[in-house]
Amino acid sequence: MKSPFYPIEVHDLTVSYQRKPVLYGVDLEIEEGSLVGVIGPNGAGKSTLIKTIMNMVSPNGGFVKIFGKNPKAGTKHIGYIPQKESVDWDFPVTVMDVVLMGRYGRLGWFGRISKDDRRMAHECLEKVDMLPYANRQIGNLSGGQQQRVFLARALAQESSIYLMDEPFAGVDAVSEKAIVSILKSMQQDGKTLVIVHHDLATAKEYFDHLLLLNMRKIAYGPIQKVFTQDLLQKTYGGRLTIFSEMASQAARQPEIEMEKSIS
Amino acid sequence: MPVILRIWPCLVFLFTPLCSMVPTLDAKQVEMLEDDQVWGRVTRFFLLQDTSVQIVALGSALIGITCGLIGSYVVTRRLSLFGDTLSHAVLPGIAVGFIWAESKDNIALLIGATAAGFLGVSCLTFLQKYTHIRQDSALGIVLSGFYAVGICLLTRIQKMEFGSQSGLDSFLFGQASALSIEDLWGIGCTLLMVGLFILFAYKKLLITGFDHSFSRSIGIPADFLQYVLWLLLAFCVISSLQIIGVILASALLIIPAVTASLLVKRMHTYLLVSAALGAAAGLAGSFLSFLGQGMPTGPLIVLISTGIFISVLCLRPTNGLLTQWYFSRKNTLRIQRENTLKAVYQILESHNFQNQTIRTQELMSKRGVDIVHCEMEIQQLVRTGLVTQAPTVPSPSLPGQSTLSLTPKGWEYACKIVRNHRLWELYLTNEAKYAPDHVHEDAEKIEHVLGEDTIRQLERILSNPRKDPHGKLIPSLTDMEMGNIQNI
Amino acid sequence: MPLIPTFDFYQIFLQPWSTPQLVSWNLQIIIMGILVCWTCGLVGSFIVVRRMALMGDAISHGILPGLALAFIISGSLGIGAMFIGACLAGLACNFCIEWLHSNTKIREDAAMGLVFTSFFALGVTLISGHTGNIDLDPSCILYGEIGLVPLAEKVEMSGIFLGNRAIWVMGVVFMCIGTGTFIFYRQLLVSSFDITLAKSIGIPVKAVHICLMLALALATVASLEAVGVILVVAMFVFPSVTASFFFNRLLYVLLFSFPLGVLYTLGGFHLAHWLDCSIAGAIAVTATLLFIPACLLGPKGGVCSRFIKS
């Protein structure tokens, strides 16, 4: 069953942190079932884009739609794998607890975890080869294992969209290959995946779509069309100075937005 | 409304000093505060007639300076809550010192407190190094664990024969009136040590505070300096106990330094401002407590520091809440003015610049605002001499029936704004490769921030264009001077 | 009279339970202590895993002006007014800290230190301005005296004696917080561990945070008479930190705070009996004493087990 809406639609999105623009006028429409890599230099707003889609950051302008709905209602369709640094690895939870958290969204306010939920979590852990570690505390795992646990949690969510922020950071080569093959199989099940990635060398074999981002969208499309010397140069070749300067000056004056909303 | 939302916690805060006045207004104390008495007290305080006043005022000021100096390092090194923990952790040391000397002997208390402080720091370091306990929990453990031992010992002492008249309670909240000359000497010594340490290690402290591992690599004994700082911090806390007490000792360390951090950026001015603020709070606190009779000095000093902090937060030059509000309002008015001017220009343009005047009605519909709002905007422009307003002939008294014409200054300004807008649109489409239907929104914002320099730069990049992406004319410099658009 | 009295087993452990009067008196103290430990342990577990242990410290200090104002305005030591005053002050303290932290460049620790000392100073000033004419005793609020709990007024309903008021209040607070925790355990767990996931599955993260702060203020006020504002921090931090050396699941950490609470109270009570000192202080000292072996010998991350591993 195909939805008439795009899984993720971003229109003229502008986001500022501390009055400094990070994303500026980004337009994006992602097709269902694509495996998208988000690529750009440090501070290009990759994570911010993901966070805005997840409704963790509210945009200064423009909007995000998920299956045609606003992000507040839409995020329940999204499975999110956070950046490694944002997780508290000392937290007293076991691997199984974390994966079960993926089922919480379906339980409502007072629901209890059922046998089916447990079986589901079991299967997801099996898929990522982490079943033997189910009772370990999450801090006692290697980087690749930790990443796989979160992947299992995302699988347990049974979402149709998955967002991942640098899933390969601090992960050994073997785990990386394993994760990629899981991602590909997820794509074959019709899921839409958006992955922030920093390694240009592997991007070409991992993804089928690519979003080049450097404060604004440089290009988005199938990898053969976008992965060109010219466009990559543009992405990594610094910013339009006047452009970013003016954008940050405008963002420093919130009064402009206020006046705009009045008139 | 958003302004109120943003400052309301501050209002809560503002009540802090206000509420502290409540007790002084209490019925029982009003009779005590007869006018002549108050003035008598004020003069007595400022003439420093009583020795006790001298000691308390001097002691408070000195401790303010000492804590201000050390506090600067505490706050910049993120040790604020460490100071709090340390001040609680010295309590068992004081109790042990008391038991040891069987009286309130300053030296014994100092040794006990220093030892307890040192033990507290060691426990903290141990917990952080060898266990998974996070910093906040470790601080909480040391703080409450030591404090509990202290309370047990204190309650024990009070039941022993030499403990009944100990007055050890005063260490919890301080009792400035009982400050003795020896205490004053103690404070003076601490200040001297702190001063000398900062004087000799100023540069090294600056480097270690900024980059711990780098300073070690160039041979600065960073760890040693850190320990000396902790030791001085402990001394500082101990010598302030008599005035301000265990629980609030950290306030004197934190508040003046935080206030100073809002005002200055460089370390040496930071130290000076922080010390000055500490001294001011100390003096004012001792003055108020003298005035209020029976009011505890320590909490008053803290409240005054907080009062100073709040006023600085509201009134500091660039980022103060009130100053920010003022500038924001000024900016809003400017942007509104510019938008109105632009609307006037666009109306003139829609008539192909055949008329020199426009009707208020037109401006109203162009701006999409009601008549009251529109009149307000027009008055703004008239007041700044950008527009002249004349009543129309048929019905001069009806609202919205006047005609407007731009003064030369207004014309120039309007041209500038329109020019900014259109140049930016062109820049976005030509250089940043935006779709033409996306650029208007953005230019609406950027037009207000483009400076002369950027405009010149844009013109150069775009090679002095005449038309924007929508095919409209970009007013040039000559147009501005001529007072009209040259039709080509 | 020596500092440490001789250890006499009968005197310390049996004498308090030797006559029916003593038993009924001391049992009230023990029940109160256990309830305090349980309530604070439950709230504290979440506070600690959210890295807000010092927020607990800050708020427990920060409620003081609320108590003082509630007393001044209502003119009585009624529980209702005290609860409202304390909760409002606690929330105000929390908001001030967060506002300073997010709207200025002041760091969180400095903001915390600044706000709670100011609140505390305000409270002390307000109270000492009024000590002349009322019986709001600052030292009682500060250390509390659990030994005086049996003196609290009795609750009677249509002539039937139901028990001690202080214990009833504490019990009700414990029931509220306990039920809340176990009904909304999942929501609390997710929003503490991963805010993004919590938000995306529709948990009102902000509301959860405020409720937790409210529970913190409530627990503090309720245990005030017993342990005072400063030692309450010990009750927040110690159970969950001690348990974290034995268990790696939050649920077990929570449950472990129940036996720990009983141990703390019994140990503290008898320690105080031995040394003839403040019971609340002795309970906190017992907590510290139990923490030390846990930290050294605990199987999950204890110092020895780490040492052996490496």
Side-chain angles (χ1 to χ4, degrees):
Chain A
M1 182 199 83
K2 272 221 161 187
S3 161
F5 297 103
Y6 286 111
I8 298 175
E9 185 191 347
V10 172
H11 181 78
D12 198 13
L13 189 74
T14 298
V15 186
S16 322
Y17 269 140
Q18 312 269 321
R19 306 216 172 144
K20 231 184 127 199
V22 186
L23 285 177
Y24 210 85
V26 173
D27 278 329
L28 190 63
E29 277 144 2
I30 292 177
E31 298 265 357
E32 200 161 350
S34 37
L35 177 53
V36 183
V38 182
I39 288 213
N42 280 339
K46 293 171 291 186
S47 296
T48 310
L49 178 66
I50 300 287
K51 282 182 184 149
T52 319
I53 296 173
M54 279 310 288
N55 198 28
M56 286 150 77
V57 176
S58 42
N60 302 49
F63 60 80
V64 173
K65 292 225 148 131
I66 292 152
F67 286 119
K69 285 183 242 161
N70 65 358
K72 205 172 172 197
T75 40
K76 62 168 181 282
H77 297 292
I78 305 182
Y80 173 69
I81 297 186
Q83 226 167 350
K84 242 188 119 195
E85 298 85 67
S86 65
V87 177
D88 177 2
W89 296 108
D90 286 333
F91 202 96
V93 282
T94 57
V95 168
M96 197 57 174
D97 289 331
V98 173
V99 179
L100 276 173
M101 278 183 205
R103 305 298 300 167
Y104 285 4
R106 300 176 174 265
L107 294 177
W109 271 94
F110 301 103
R112 293 276 116 184
I113 292 168
S114 66
K115 274 214 177 98
D116 286 344
D117 290 323
R118 283 190 189 281
R119 199 168 50 234
M120 176 84 197
H122 228 262
E123 282 166 18
C124 293
L125 271 178
E126 201 148 29
K127 264 187 210 164
V128 297
D129 274 342
M130 285 295 292
L131 203 50
Y133 301 95
N135 288 321
R136 284 262 196 110
Q137 199 259 333
I138 49 162
N140 293 333
L141 301 171
S142 74
Q145 291 171 329
Q146 288 174 342
Q147 215 45 269
R148 277 190 271 167
V149 172
F150 276 87
L151 199 61
R153 186 180 82 176
L155 285 173
Q157 273 181 277
E158 295 185 296
S159 321
S160 27
I161 306 171
Y162 291 92
L163 302 181
M164 306 183 193
D165 204 342
E166 302 256 5
F168 305 121
V171 168
D172 57 294
V174 181
S175 289
E176 185 163 334
K177 288 278 169 306
I179 293 173
V180 170
S181 74
I182 297 167
L183 295 182
K184 297 241 160 152
S185 77
M186 284 161 85
Q187 187 197 10
Q188 255 136 44
D189 295 343
K191 315 284 187 195
T192 311
L193 298 113
V194 179
I195 292 151
V196 171
H197 193 54
H198 65 281
D199 187 11
L200 271 180
T202 49
K204 209 167 175 180
E205 54 176 298
Y206 287 177
F207 309 116
D208 63 354
H209 279 66
L210 214 55
L211 168 65
L212 298 180
L213 200 68
N214 188 354
M215 195 159 129
R216 9 180 231 112
K217 180 182 83 179
I218 309 290
Y220 171 69
I223 193 129
Q224 302 86 350
K225 282 193 187 158
V226 176
F227 201 81
T228 59
Q229 196 63 40
D230 182 37
L231 284 172
L232 289 175
Q233 189 83 48
K234 231 173 152 183
T235 313
Y236 286 88
R239 296 174 183 180
L240 293 160
T241 43
I242 303 181
F243 181 80
S244 53
E245 200 177 290
M246 285 303 121
S248 42
Q249 264 192 38
R252 235 174 279 141
Q253 299 188 0
E255 298 85 14
I256 293 176
E257 298 286 335
M258 266 158 64
E259 165 69 6
K260 252 178 67 194
S261 60
I262 294 166
S263 61
Chain B
M1 195 57 197
V3 177
I4 295 178
L5 280 179
R6 274 172 62 199
I7 63 170
W8 79 262
C10 198
L11 292 180
V12 175
F13 230 144
L14 263 175
F15 272 109
T16 313
L18 284 182
C19 292
S20 67
M21 299 303 158
V22 174
T24 35
L25 296 177
D26 192 44
K28 220 181 165 187
Q29 295 185 349
V30 166
E31 49 197 325
M32 221 160 58
L33 294 170
E34 294 291 334
D35 241 11
D36 51 324
Q37 268 204 343
V38 172
W39 281 114
R41 285 176 160 276
V42 171
T43 45
R44 262 173 67 197
F45 183 86
F46 281 109
L47 295 177
L48 295 173
Q49 280 168 346
D50 310 358
T51 26
S52 68
V53 176
Q54 282 172 13
I55 291 178
V56 173
L58 191 63
S60 309
L62 284 182
I63 206 68
I65 296 174
T66 321
C67 289
L69 287 175
I70 281 285
S72 313
Y73 288 103
V74 169
V75 169
T76 49
R77 289 172 181 229
R78 307 187 181 215
L79 292 172
S80 303
L81 294 169
F82 184 85
D84 184 45
T85 305
L86 200 62
S87 64
H88 285 71
V90 298
L91 195 63
I94 289 174
V96 169
F98 186 81
I99 293 165
W100 181 35
E102 301 214 342
S103 70
K104 226 168 118 182
D105 176 52
N106 272 329
I107 307 290
L109 293 187
L110 187 73
I111 293 171
T114 314
F118 187 75
L119 197 63
V121 172
S122 315
C123 285
L124 205 58
T125 328
F126 174 81
L127 286 180
Q128 292 208 289
K129 231 177 190 167
Y130 297 106
T131 69
H132 60 259
I133 300 174
R134 268 87 49 111
Q135 193 193 12
D136 61 325
S137 305
L139 284 169
I141 285 170
V142 172
L143 184 151
S144 51
F146 274 68
Y147 191 81
V149 175
I151 288 291
C152 278
L153 286 172
L154 280 191
T155 43
R156 177 86 195 120
I157 288 170
Q158 272 159 357
K159 302 226 169 88
M160 291 160 82
E161 55 266 35
F162 58 86
S164 46
Q165 76 292 14
S166 64
L168 277 176
D169 253 5
S170 68
F171 278 118
L172 291 175
F173 296 113
Q175 195 181 6
S177 51
L179 202 69
S180 64
I181 291 282
E182 291 93 73
D183 291 325
L184 208 57
W185 276 111
I187 297 172
C189 284
T190 315
L191 177 58
L192 194 69
M193 281 192 285
V194 169
L196 285 177
F197 176 64
I198 291 176
L199 210 60
F200 283 113
Y202 176 74
K203 281 235 167 67
K204 286 180 183 133
L205 281 172
L206 208 58
I207 299 170
T208 53
F210 182 64
D211 189 341
H212 196 84
S213 42
F214 168 72
S215 54
R216 260 217 302 240
S217 72
I218 60 170
I220 293 174
D223 289 329
F224 173 73
L225 284 177
Q226 183 86 358
Y227 280 114
V228 176
L229 203 63
W230 283 347
L231 196 69
L232 285 177
L233 182 59
F235 282 165
C236 198
V237 166
I238 295 156
S239 51
S240 59
L241 290 184
Q242 185 66 53
I243 293 179
I244 199 159
V246 170
I247 301 164
L248 289 172
S250 62
L252 259 194
L253 290 169
I254 300 170
I255 302 176
V258 169
T259 316
S261 78
L262 292 177
L263 287 171
V264 294
K265 293 202 166 56
R266 307 203 43 195
M267 195 65 201
H268 56 268
T269 38
Y270 185 12
L271 283 171
L272 290 179
V273 171
S274 165
L277 288 174
L283 273 180
S286 55
F287 170 61
L288 267 194
S289 94
F290 182 68
L291 210 62
Q293 230 187 17
M295 298 296 284
T297 317
L300 277 179
I301 295 178
V302 176
L303 283 183
I304 286 176
S305 310
T306 315
I308 298 176
F309 169 75
I310 293 165
S311 8
V312 168
L313 192 67
C314 292
L315 298 172
R316 73 201 150 122
T318 48
N319 293 325
L321 291 174
L322 286 177
T323 36
Q324 228 171 30
W325 177 77
Y326 171 75
F327 284 123
S328 156
R329 193 176 153 64
K330 224 170 113 179
N331 216 355
T332 311
L333 284 178
R334 177 180 67 87
I335 289 159
Q336 193 188 59
R337 227 165 32 227
E338 291 180 352
N339 283 343
T340 322
L341 269 181
K342 196 175 63 185
V344 173
Y345 180 95
Q346 281 162 346
I347 295 165
L348 285 174
E349 190 180 44
S350 68
H351 299 312
N352 272 326
F353 302 103
Q354 298 302 314
N355 312 339
Q356 291 286 335
T357 57
I358 65 161
R359 281 181 298 121
T360 314
Q361 210 94 59
E362 288 176 304
L363 185 64
M364 228 168 77
S365 58
K366 182 85 193 164
R367 288 279 287 149
V369 291
D370 59 21
I371 181 70
V372 186
H373 208 94
C374 191
E375 273 300 324
M376 251 163 55
E377 292 187 350
I378 292 168
Q379 285 316 312
Q380 277 282 333
L381 293 179
V382 172
R383 223 175 300 144
T384 38
L386 297 166
V387 151
T388 51
Q389 189 181 24
T392 45
V393 186
S395 49
S397 56
L398 276 175
Q401 289 297 321
S402 55
T403 58
L404 308 167
S405 54
L406 290 169
T407 62
K409 194 173 139 201
W411 168 255
E412 210 173 296
Y413 201 162
C415 280
K416 205 183 102 193
I417 294 302
V418 173
R419 185 180 162 72
N420 285 357
H421 183 99
R422 292 181 181 170
L423 269 176
W424 188 252
E425 286 188 343
L426 197 63
Y427 172 72
L428 285 187
T429 39
N430 287 6
E431 296 298 312
K433 300 282 180 257
Y434 267 58
D437 59 330
H438 263 57
V439 294
H440 176 75
E441 283 274 293
D442 193 44
E444 282 284 302
K445 290 184 255 169
I446 302 293
E447 64 188 15
H448 303 293
V449 294
L450 281 173
E452 272 307 301
D453 291 345
T454 326
I455 286 294
R456 294 287 153 283
Q457 222 176 327
L458 284 178
E459 277 174 347
R460 241 193 341 272
I461 295 171
L462 300 164
S463 54
N464 291 317
R466 276 303 279 167
K467 289 198 170 167
D468 76 352
H470 310 295
K472 287 189 178 153
L473 278 179
I474 299 174
S476 67
L477 278 177
T478 37
D479 296 330
M480 290 190 194
E481 281 156 21
M482 293 285 290
N484 206 335
I485 288 281
Q486 289 173 316
N487 286 310
I488 310 163
Chain C
M1 194 164 139
L3 178 64
I4 298 173
T6 44
F7 183 83
D8 178 352
F9 185 81
Y10 172 77
Q11 190 71 26
I12 294 164
F13 287 101
L14 299 178
Q15 194 263 334
W17 311 104
S18 54
T19 67
Q21 283 91 347
L22 277 177
V23 169
S24 88
W25 177 276
N26 290 331
L27 205 58
Q28 292 185 43
I29 296 177
I30 297 278
I31 291 173
M32 183 70 179
I34 289 175
L35 285 175
V36 167
C37 288
W38 285 357
T39 314
C40 295
L42 282 182
V43 181
S45 302
F46 288 103
I47 301 287
V48 168
V49 292
R50 286 174 170 235
R51 309 193 170 200
M52 294 196 314
L54 290 166
M55 193 61 122
D57 183 35
I59 286 185
S60 62
H61 284 68
I63 61 168
L64 198 58
L67 291 177
L69 282 176
F71 178 80
I72 290 166
I73 291 166
S74 74
S76 72
L77 282 164
I79 316 164
M82 288 287 164
F83 269 20
I84 294 169
C87 288
L88 287 181
L91 287 184
C93 185
N94 177 36
F95 279 125
C96 284
I97 292 172
E98 276 168 14
W99 186 86
L100 277 181
H101 174 51
S102 56
N103 286 286
T104 64
K105 57 178 182 176
I106 299 169
R107 291 188 196 113
E108 198 175 9
D109 61 331
M112 225 182 248
L114 193 151
V115 173
F116 89 77
T117 49
S118 305
F119 270 63
F120 192 76
L122 177 63
V124 174
T125 319
L126 285 175
I127 292 174
S128 60
H130 280 262
T131 32
N133 40 9
I134 54 131
D135 52 355
L136 184 62
D137 183 5
S139 65
C140 178
I141 288 178
L142 290 171
Y143 336 118
E145 191 39 85
I146 201 170
L148 298 179
V149 162
L151 291 177
E153 62 199 88
K154 304 282 178 276
V155 180
E156 270 174 60
M157 196 178 278
S158 54
I160 308 156
F161 173 68
L162 288 174
N164 189 310
R165 181 190 60 87
I167 293 177
W168 269 104
V169 171
M170 197 67 226
V172 170
V173 170
F174 169 67
M175 286 312 290
C176 290
I177 291 178
T179 342
T181 316
F182 283 96
I183 290 179
F184 298 113
Y185 171 72
R186 279 190 300 111
Q187 281 79 2
L188 282 164
L189 174 69
V190 180
S191 59
S192 306
F193 178 62
D194 189 340
I195 283 195
T196 325
L197 180 70
K199 262 191 193 164
S200 74
I201 60 178
I203 295 171
V205 179
K206 275 239 169 74
V208 170
H209 176 78
I210 289 176
C211 284
L212 200 60
M213 290 295 116
L214 216 57
L216 187 66
L218 207 62
T220 312
V221 187
S223 28
L224 215 59
E225 279 178 274
V227 292
V229 293
I230 294 159
L231 290 179
V232 83
V233 181
M235 301 296 100
F236 283 130
V237 181
F238 277 110
S240 75
V241 174
T242 310
S244 76
F245 285 104
F246 296 99
F247 301 103
N248 53 18
R249 295 186 65 189
L250 187 59
L251 187 65
Y252 298 154
V253 170
L254 275 182
L255 293 176
F256 194 55
S257 69
F258 291 112
L260 274 182
V262 176
L263 272 182
Y264 289 170
T265 313
L266 288 175
F269 175 76
H270 292 109
L271 184 69
H273 228 265
W274 175 26
L275 297 177
D276 191 15
C277 65
S278 144
I279 299 176
I283 291 177
V285 169
T286 315
T288 319
L289 291 178
L290 286 177
F291 166 76
I292 294 169
C295 167
L296 293 175
L297 305 170
K300 300 266 154 60
V303 177
C304 284
S305 75
R306 278 188 186 210
F307 200 67
I308 292 164
K309 255 186 207 166
S310 68

